[in-house]
Amino acid sequence: MCDQTFVAITFGPCDCCGKASPLMNIYIKSEATNYCSFCVEVMATQGLQAGESAASLKKESDSLKKKLEEERAKLSDIELSQVAEKIEVLAPLSIKTRRVLKGHGNKVLCMDWCKDKRRLVSSSQDGKVIVWDAFTLNKEHGVTLPCTWVLACAYAPSGCAVACGGLDNKCSVFPLSLDKNENLNTKKKSVAMHTNYVSGCTFTSSDMQILTSSGDGTCALWDVESGQLLQSFHGHTADVLSLDLAPSETGNTFVSGGCDRKANVWDMRSGQNIQSFECHESDINCVKYYPSGDAFASASDDATCRFYDLRADREVAVYQKDSIIFGASTVDFSLSGRLLFAGYNDYTINAWDVLKGTRVSALFGHENRVSRVRVSPDGTALCSASWDNTLRIWS
Amino acid sequence: MSGKTCSSNSVIQAQKLVDQLRVEADMERMKISLTAADLVRYCQEQRRHDPLLAGIAASSNPFKDKKSCVLL
């Protein structure tokens, strides 16, 4: 595949002054408009108050950053692990592999549970998306996408559809039919269109909207029926690798993490970035909300997982060990939020005590990197997907 | 990204950054002692409902193999 970059120059009437000239595509309050370069200059200088310039803005941004640091430092009067000293220590978990799902011909990149607690969907590098029944190991549905590296897949809340996307830069929704012989490809609906690979997708509270994250640095909210872009989220300065929706009781926000080492929290309605955390030393591979919605965790290539408190607006715990040197690619909380399961590139899954910051257990079994771990909706089992072409169910 | 580095681009970017920081600086924050206590309380309350922590009987866990065979 050859990489050719074209700079496309649109020519036409400017949205501001009306004159025909080469246009620059810019975003004003999340809306894409086309201005000629003269109007862009005018608008940029209009935004400045008297006496401001690029240099003074830089000084202001530096002082604001320092003020943020001070505000956050003022509130850290105690460590989470100190507050957690009073509670009992967890015994090592008696969790073993109960099922091994074989059937993918290549690396399994992503998986998601259905709300019925028994079905799950998984996607792999060879373009195959399979829906499994985890109790019986039956493969219920299978679709082959025309692209390789299906990086993201999600089950709809109703259990009637799955969404998946990857190197095709799109996210497509497949309604699942009860007829086993029907070719799901005929009902395929292309919903999201990005300018780079789709790294993560999830349905919102209904089957009608999906949220996607992409290598083009943006996240976007789409209407499934019409394929229309409802809201786009700009702010990351590099590929966005993961996103997670806040648990429904706490409202319309989601968190995203990317290669710019930042984890951003967004308001879904306004498109505004409300909080930002830059604590990791390398790409953030996965982000996941705490079950109560007041905190979230992230996994990164710097071999650590971190826990952030949203109300205190800072990182409150780091889960790391000198013996762990491989990057963490995925995290998920257990039902109560006490355990954090993290999958690493050294083929293991570590279970961390979220509150005390210590490792409770290590799960071995996979023969290649663990790409995704997800706890089932009722919390009885953990499913892990790996580059060794299998998925394992632990319980 | 366009190859030109117009001065207007860096001004727009700097303006956006300052606006974003202003929004973040205005946020209401709580002390960690309060929020941490809340997180601990949530964990303790939900503890009983967490099968991976508390463990559930083999008979009710659909993934654990049952000891006795079922006659079909």
Side-chain angles (χ1 to χ4, degrees), chain A residues 48 60-61 68 75 77-78 87-88 98-99 273 275 290 309 311-314 334-336 379 395, chain B residues 15 20-22 27 29-33 35 38-39 43-44 47 49-52 61-64:
Chain A
L48 300 175
E60 191 180 349
S61 73
L68 267 177
L75 297 162
D77 45 353
I78 192 171
I87 49 182
E88 76 291 349
R98 302 287 174 187
R99 300 274 192 282
N273 176 359
Q275 281 173 280
Y290 187 74
D309 189 316
R311 286 173 301 179
D313 193 35
R314 59 174 291 132
S334 68
L335 211 58
S336 65
S395 184
Chain B
Q15 186 71 49
Q20 179 61 34
L21 287 170
R22 279 193 194 134
M27 199 196 130
R29 290 180 190 83
M30 290 171 58
K31 278 192 188 281
I32 291 194
S33 48
T35 57
D38 204 38
L39 289 173
C43 275
Q44 295 301 82
R47 209 204 141 79
H49 306 298
D50 190 345
L52 288 170
N61 185 344
F63 295 105
K64 282 206 175 123

Side-chain angles (χ1 to χ4, degrees), chain A residues 312-372:
Chain A
D313 193 35
R314 59 174 291 132
E315 168 198 284
V316 292
V318 183
Y319 307 109
Q320 64 187 344
K321 243 174 147 54
D322 288 340
S323 52
I324 300 176
I325 54 172
F326 283 84
S329 56
T330 174
V331 278
D332 198 7
F333 286 99
S334 68
L335 211 58
S336 65
R338 182 71 193 273
L339 290 170
L340 181 72
F341 292 98
Y344 291 79
N345 293 343
D346 62 0
Y347 316 171
T348 66
I349 299 169
N350 288 320
W352 298 89
D353 182 332
V354 171
L355 304 174
K356 289 190 188 282
T358 53
R359 181 170 66 175
V360 177
S361 289
L363 305 176
F364 301 97
H366 278 295
E367 291 158 19
N368 207 322
R369 303 191 176 189
V370 179
S371 52
R372 186 88 154 175

Side-chain angles (χ1 to χ4, degrees), chain A residues 217-330:
Chain A
T218 68
C219 300
L221 180 65
W222 310 82
D223 176 86
V224 173
E225 201 50 51
S226 61
Q228 197 192 9
L229 172 66
L230 298 171
Q231 183 64 266
S232 67
F233 306 91
H234 299 260
H236 278 287
T237 50
D239 303 17
V240 184
L241 294 180
S242 170
L243 56 76
D244 187 38
L245 209 53
S248 46
E249 308 92 51
T250 47
N252 295 321
T253 58
F254 73 94
V255 62
S256 66
C259 293
D260 55 355
R261 296 180 263 135
K262 287 214 204 112
N264 291 338
V265 181
W266 309 83
D267 178 322
M268 268 171 32
R269 276 172 297 205
S270 65
Q272 173 80 36
N273 176 359
I274 41 185
Q275 281 173 280
S276 182
F277 303 88
E278 190 167 358
C279 306
H280 274 293
E281 291 157 24
S282 187
D283 302 356
I284 295 181
N285 291 316
C286 186
V287 287
K288 196 76 175 57
Y289 263 99
Y290 187 74
S292 72
D294 294 324
F296 72 95
S298 61
S300 162
D301 277 344
D302 64 3
T304 68
C305 296
R306 288 167 201 252
F307 190 49
Y308 309 81
D309 189 316
L310 290 170
R311 286 173 301 179
D313 193 35
R314 59 174 291 132
E315 168 198 284
V316 292
V318 183
Y319 307 109
Q320 64 187 344
K321 243 174 147 54
D322 288 340
S323 52
I324 300 176
I325 54 172
F326 283 84
S329 56
T330 174

Side-chain angles (χ1 to χ4, degrees), chain A residues 14-82:
Chain A
C14 165
D15 283 342
C16 175
C17 64
K19 283 193 288 208
S21 61
L23 301 174
M24 287 170 67
N25 184 276
I26 55 173
Y27 287 91
I28 301 182
K29 294 201 196 324
S30 298
E31 267 193 40
T33 47
N34 291 318
Y35 276 15
C36 66
S37 50
F38 181 68
C39 291
V40 169
E41 295 264 4
V42 168
M43 194 198 64
T45 45
Q46 266 174 1
L48 300 175
Q49 314 301 331
E52 275 187 7
S53 68
S56 74
L57 281 176
K58 175 114 185 21
K59 249 195 289 186
E60 191 180 349
S61 73
D62 286 339
S63 74
L64 276 172
K65 277 189 198 156
K66 237 197 308 174
K67 179 173 168 223
L68 267 177
E69 278 305 311
E70 286 166 6
E71 290 285 317
R72 284 171 171 171
K74 261 194 261 175
L75 297 162
S76 59
D77 45 353
I78 192 171
E79 289 288 312
L80 178 62
S81 47
Q82 286 173 288

